[in-house]
Amino acid sequence: MREAAFVKQNKEKWIAFEKAIALGSHTDPDALVDGYIQLTNDLAYAQTYYAESKTLLYLNSLASQAHQKIYRNKKESGNRIVEFWAREFPLFFKQYHKTLLVAFLIFIVASAIGCISALNDSSFVRLILGDAYVNETLNNIAKGEPTAIYKSGSEIGTFLGITINNIRVAFLAFAFGVITSIGTAYILFSNGVMLGAFITFFYTKGVFFEANRQIWLHGTIEISVIIIAGCAGLIMGNSILFPKTFSRRVSFMKGAKDGLKVVVSTIPFFIIAGFIEGFITRYATMPDWLAFMIIGGSLCLIIYYYIIYPILLNRSYEGQLHRT
């Protein structure tokens, strides 16, 4: 059978099943299972005759969503929270890797603009970071401690304050998606410009290495997860702009739910970043090898959990579907 005929024959069934998944708790579990069985049969057929096609990609994504829905409705003997972070979320997030890339590119372009602006206009940093912060940092640089600001306050107080603030920023990036992707893009852009100006400020003062060695101890996870939270906002915003086969209302509900799931996944990482900033960053005298080991380990953790692990888990799942 030609691919076009295969799609035409099953399109309405797939769309109905996709909408049933989006309705969540309103869907009859037995009907969901029956639809899932038919879907896996179609998926197996597509894997055999339409490899590398858009139809196969669509059915893979739909089967993955259905699997999560059925699995979530089962009685679970294990820890539900652990199951979410260990399997459910990574399996789900693979479909949004392109959205994550868009969020990353927005942030990087904005950081480059902040960097170039700070290099060409000495007043730009004060405009972005504020006079009080710049003046305090200049005093610290003069004392030979460019990142002394991270030593202020108690360890526990800093940890709690930073963690709560970072989670607030993440939910703000997500919430702005309610005014379409433009809102979240603005949050990503403004934070990117701020970071570019901030890093360049230390460069112009000749303390680039010393400052960055401390900043990225916590900043590696902190900045990465802000970008991931921006991805969550773009997911919700795109659901409004591009409803696909859904009504705009149903698409928005699905996008908001998916985006919220992404934001929730970031909370443990913000706690880790807050802990590093509150208890580790303040120790500027640590050896360089230890600082870079923490920075490298943090980057590897983020890349593995949000990019590599979802790919590996989805490949394993697709292999199981193929064998069935």
Side-chain angles (χ1 to χ4, degrees):
M1 183 187 301
R2 292 183 178 274
E3 183 179 358
F6 176 69
V7 172
K8 183 177 180 180
Q9 177 179 309
N10 296 284
K11 181 179 179 180
E12 291 185 5
K13 177 181 63 178
W14 296 339
I15 292 175
F17 186 61
E18 189 174 8
K19 290 181 178 179
I21 295 173
L23 291 175
S25 59
H26 299 289
T27 304
D28 179 8
D30 292 333
L32 193 63
V33 172
D34 290 340
Y36 179 69
I37 293 172
Q38 295 180 43
L39 179 66
T40 55
N41 289 335
D42 292 339
L43 177 59
Y45 187 89
Q47 287 173 327
T48 302
Y49 296 103
Y50 315 120
E52 307 299 327
S53 68
K54 291 183 178 180
T55 301
L56 179 58
L57 292 175
Y58 169 75
L59 292 176
N60 265 327
S61 175
L62 189 56
S64 176
Q65 294 176 52
H67 173 80
Q68 294 170 45
K69 184 73 66 176
I70 294 170
Y71 193 87
R72 183 167 58 246
N73 288 339
K74 291 170 60 179
K75 292 182 179 179
E76 301 179 39
S77 57
N79 190 314
R80 180 68 181 83
I81 296 177
V82 172
E83 174 64 26
F84 172 80
W85 271 282
R87 181 176 176 83
E88 180 181 327
F89 175 77
L91 192 63
F92 149 85
F93 188 64
K94 168 66 170 59
Q95 63 185 304
Y96 291 119
H97 273 179
K98 289 184 179 179
T99 308
L100 177 62
L101 177 61
V102 171
F104 173 76
L105 292 176
I106 292 172
F107 192 89
I108 289 299
V109 169
S111 297
I113 291 174
C115 176
I116 294 170
S117 299
L119 285 173
N120 290 279
D121 184 356
S122 57
S123 65
F124 184 76
V125 174
R126 290 185 177 274
L127 177 66
I128 297 298
L129 302 178
D131 288 331
Y133 184 87
V134 171
N135 291 336
E136 182 178 356
T137 302
L138 286 173
N139 290 332
N140 291 334
I141 292 173
K143 296 175 184 177
E145 295 183 300
T147 57
I149 194 169
Y150 295 116
K151 296 182 179 180
S152 60
S154 66
E155 294 176 339
I156 294 179
T158 300
F159 163 59
L160 293 175
I162 292 298
T163 299
I164 292 172
N165 180 68
N166 288 339
I167 293 175
R168 181 190 65 81
V169 173
F171 274 91
L172 185 66
F174 167 63
F176 264 56
V178 78
I179 54 176
T180 74
S181 306
I182 296 174
T184 294
Y186 167 76
I187 296 297
L188 285 170
F189 190 86
S190 60
N191 276 274
V193 169
M194 187 180 300
L195 176 66
F198 179 64
I199 296 301
T200 305
F201 172 64
F202 288 107
Y203 172 78
T204 60
K205 300 305 175 183
V207 290
F208 181 79
F209 176 80
E210 297 90 334
N212 276 274
R213 191 182 72 116
Q214 300 304 116
I215 292 168
W216 290 105
L217 284 171
H218 61 273
T220 301
I221 292 180
E222 185 177 292
I223 297 302
S224 298
V225 181
I226 286 175
I227 294 172
I228 293 165
C231 170
L234 292 179
I235 290 171
M236 180 165 65
N238 288 343
S239 72
I240 301 172
L241 295 175
F242 312 109
K244 298 181 180 178
T245 59
F246 300 107
S247 68
R248 205 169 296 277
R249 181 183 68 84
V250 172
S251 177
F252 172 72
M253 290 173 61
K254 181 180 183 297
K257 183 178 179 180
D258 287 357
L260 182 60
K261 187 180 291 188
V262 174
V263 174
V264 169
S265 80
T266 67
I267 293 176
F269 294 95
F270 275 129
I271 293 174
I272 294 172
F275 176 84
I276 293 174
E277 185 165 354
F279 292 91
I280 298 177
T281 301
R282 62 180 61 236
Y283 297 110
T285 57
M286 74 170 65
D288 288 345
W289 66 265
L290 180 58
F292 288 121
M293 187 174 72
I294 294 172
I295 293 170
S298 298
L299 182 61
C300 288
L301 175 64
I302 291 294
I303 291 175
Y304 179 77
Y305 184 73
Y306 282 97
I307 299 176
I308 298 175
Y309 184 51
I311 292 174
L312 296 177
L313 198 60
N314 272 270
R315 283 179 181 173
S316 174
Y317 169 66
E318 290 170 10
Q320 293 173 13
L321 286 179
H322 184 70
R323 287 192 293 271
T324 58

